[in-house]
């Protein structure tokens, strides 16, 4: 999706001309952000290295998102699905001083309303001197590396089947190859245009971008038939996935990024999988759904010793809610995979949505708990 996810050299945020200048933070230390349909007013345009919190209030009429970008449009943090009248926090660990950008995205499309944000001060890493946080990031990086390896293997198999015009084989490999992408999507999404090139849906890619990647090939396989350029699209998908894999293995993640990534994966389920919009041609959304939950669970599992130390009640709640969502999802197993999404009743979809919502609330608290001193 657009996706849709976390990485290093964290940095800073930006406001555009419409933003008000350097006002003070709120009492909680958060930087207020007033998002509307045509403006993105960030109350401060600079902060110090360490944990930076933004309190985003949507004053517009459209659902919006708020992003923190580093150089090359690398996503350092994001909050999605902020409905009109609602507020959400974005907590980011900024480890290095520098100049970056903030963006509000009314309608959750396009490059967003951007501005400059500066972070000053010495390098700071929460993992320094904290064995639990350091081990959490190492544990999750091992997970990312293993999933990235499998992503490359299965995508190559899928691409080879498309190029050989083995349609049935390609259809079978499509949801399998995407499992590994969906599990690490917050990391993969952080690398600028690579995410929409690989996983963009036809109706949500930026204006001027070609429709490529997994979903273009999905359309070819299930709806329009393989096209004259399907082989070229498949080759480019593999090139892009190889680049993502290399980048994902090289990133240095922060504990807050793990927590934010866990929530982003659940948001991904809520916006794409529950609606059936993600895999609209193949209807293999439940494979993606399962993988998103797996990825969220892996991030929270890596952070669990930290969460348990700081908030045992939250750790217990997370265990209960993850189990409930697992049970709701596993009811729809079929052979080695899942039912097609079109085979689910409205009540079954509703039950899944409720389980996602119930889990999303406690997961949204993890970043604040992890970053608390």
């Amino acid at each position: 999706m657009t996706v849709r996810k976390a990485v290093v050299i964290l940095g800073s945020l930006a406001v555009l001309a419409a933003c008000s200048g350097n006002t003070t933070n709120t009492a909680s230390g958060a930087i207020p952000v007033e998002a509307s349909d045509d403006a993105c007013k960030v109350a401060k345009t600079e902060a110090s290295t360490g944990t930076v919190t933004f309190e985003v209030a949507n004053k517009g009429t459209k659902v919006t998102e708020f992003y923190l970008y580093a150089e090359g449009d690398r996503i350092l943090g994001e909050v999605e699905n902020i409905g009109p009248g609602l507020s959400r926090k974005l907590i980011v660990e900024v480890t290095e001083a520098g100049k970056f950008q903030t963006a509000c995205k009314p309608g959750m499309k396009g490059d967003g309303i951007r501005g400059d944000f500066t972070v000053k001060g010495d390098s700071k890493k929460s993992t320094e001197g904290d064995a639990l946080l350091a081990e959490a990031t190492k544990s999750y990086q091992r997970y990312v590396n293993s999933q990235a390896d499998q992503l490359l293997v299965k995508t190559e198999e899928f691409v080879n089947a498309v190029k050989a015009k083995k349609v049935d084989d390609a259809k079978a490999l499509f949801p399998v190859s995407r499992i590994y992408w969906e599990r690490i999507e917050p990391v993969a999404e952080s690398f600028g245009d690579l995410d929409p090139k690989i996983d963009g849906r036809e109706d949500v890619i930026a204006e001027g971008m070609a429709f490529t990647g997994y979903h273009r090939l999905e359309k070819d396989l299930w709806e329009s038939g393989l096209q004259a350029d399907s082989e070229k699209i498949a080759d480019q998908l593999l090139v892009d996935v190889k680049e993502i894999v290399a980048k994902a293995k090289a990133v240095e993640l922060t504990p807050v990024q793990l927590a934010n990534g866990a929530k982003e994966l659940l948001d991904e389920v809520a916006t794409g999988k529950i609606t059936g919009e993600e895999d609209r041609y193949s209807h293999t959304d439940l494979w993606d759904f399962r993988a998103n939950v797996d990825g969220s669970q892996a991030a929270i599992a890596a952070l669990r010793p930290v969460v348990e130390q700081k908030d045992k009640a939250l750790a217990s709640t997370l265990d209960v809610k993850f189990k409930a969502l697992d049970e709701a999802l596993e009811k729809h197993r079929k052979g080695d995979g899942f039912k097609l999404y079109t085979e689910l009743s409205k009540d079954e979809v509703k039950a899944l949505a409720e389980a996602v919502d119930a889990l999303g609330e406690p997961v949204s608290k993890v970043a604040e708990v992890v970053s608390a001193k």
Side-chain angles (χ1 to χ4, degrees), residues 90 146 239 264 312 315 357 372:
L90 172 62
S146 68
V239 169
E264 287 165 24
K312 284 189 176 181
D357 289 343

Side-chain angles (χ1 to χ4, degrees), residues 70-361:
E71 185 179 355
D73 273 3
R74 190 174 27 165
I75 299 170
L76 304 181
E78 64 176 293
V79 282
E80 300 179 334
N81 304 313
I82 311 171
L86 300 181
S87 296
R88 284 188 63 184
K89 283 183 180 178
L90 172 62
I91 302 173
V92 183
E93 182 182 340
V94 183
T95 62
E96 301 285 344
K99 293 186 179 295
F100 300 81
Q101 284 195 318
T102 55
C104 296
K105 294 189 178 181
M108 302 196 296
K109 291 184 179 182
D111 291 335
I113 301 168
R114 300 198 181 200
D116 298 327
F117 190 92
T118 302
V119 173
K120 298 180 178 180
D122 298 330
S123 299
K124 289 184 181 179
K125 292 183 180 180
S126 62
T127 53
E128 293 177 357
D130 191 316
L132 286 181
L133 289 178
E135 179 52 37
T137 57
K138 290 177 183 176
S139 173
Y140 186 70
Q141 188 63 62
R142 289 192 290 270
Y143 175 78
V144 169
N145 290 350
S146 68
Q147 299 306 302
D149 285 338
Q150 286 302 304
L151 170 63
L152 183 54
V153 169
K154 293 302 178 182
T155 301
E156 190 162 12
E157 291 178 5
F158 170 63
V159 165
N160 287 341
V162 170
K163 293 173 66 176
K165 295 182 174 57
K166 296 180 178 180
V167 172
D168 289 342
D169 289 350
K171 285 183 174 181
L173 286 163
F174 173 78
V176 176
S177 64
R178 288 179 52 76
I179 287 171
Y180 307 99
W181 166 268
E182 296 288 349
R183 284 176 178 167
I184 61 170
E185 191 164 12
V187 179
E189 281 187 337
S190 67
F191 301 113
D193 285 346
L194 278 172
D195 168 55
K197 285 174 67 178
I198 291 171
D199 198 36
R201 302 198 304 271
E202 190 170 12
D203 59 335
V204 297
I205 55 176
E207 187 176 346
M209 286 193 71
F211 179 35
T212 61
Y214 283 119
H215 294 301
R216 162 58 203 278
L217 293 173
E218 178 197 6
K219 184 177 183 179
D220 292 355
L221 289 166
W222 271 273
E223 184 170 281
S224 59
L226 292 177
Q227 303 294 299
D229 64 343
S230 294
E231 184 171 334
K232 180 181 177 181
I233 297 293
D235 281 335
Q236 187 60 51
L237 171 62
L238 186 57
V239 169
D240 293 338
V241 164
K242 285 180 178 178
E243 186 174 353
I244 280 285
V245 167
K247 288 178 178 290
K249 288 187 170 187
V251 303
E252 182 181 345
L253 301 170
T254 70
V256 171
Q257 284 176 306
L258 271 63
N260 286 339
K263 183 60 172 72
E264 287 165 24
L265 283 165
L266 295 179
D267 287 344
E268 181 80 7
V269 172
T271 58
K273 280 63 176 184
I274 286 296
T275 61
E277 294 174 10
E278 179 82 1
D279 298 326
R280 64 191 62 177
Y281 309 111
S282 63
H283 306 300
T284 55
D285 302 86
L286 288 180
W287 278 259
D288 289 1
F289 191 134
R290 174 74 263 175
N292 283 157
V293 175
D294 288 344
S296 181
Q297 216 160 5
I300 296 301
L303 291 167
R304 198 180 193 288
V306 181
V307 177
E308 191 165 28
Q309 182 187 67
K310 295 184 176 183
D311 191 335
K312 284 189 176 181
L314 178 59
S316 297
T317 298
L318 288 165
D319 290 344
V320 170
K321 299 303 182 182
F322 265 116
K323 182 179 179 182
L325 179 53
D326 284 341
E327 290 175 351
L329 184 54
E330 290 302 306
K331 290 178 182 178
H332 305 298
R333 279 279 181 188
K334 190 173 183 179
D336 293 333
F338 290 90
K339 298 176 184 176
L340 297 181
Y341 204 67
T342 48
E343 295 178 309
L344 269 58
S345 68
K346 288 183 178 179
D347 286 343
E348 287 172 331
V349 171
K350 181 182 177 183
L352 288 172
E354 289 173 347
V356 171
D357 289 343
L359 175 59
E361 195 273 332

Side-chain angles (χ1 to χ4, degrees), residues 59-75:
K59 304 294 186 180
T61 62
K62 301 175 181 177
V63 177
T64 194
E65 302 171 328
F66 182 74
Y67 286 76
L68 170 61
Y69 287 105
E71 185 179 355
D73 273 3
R74 190 174 27 165
I75 299 170

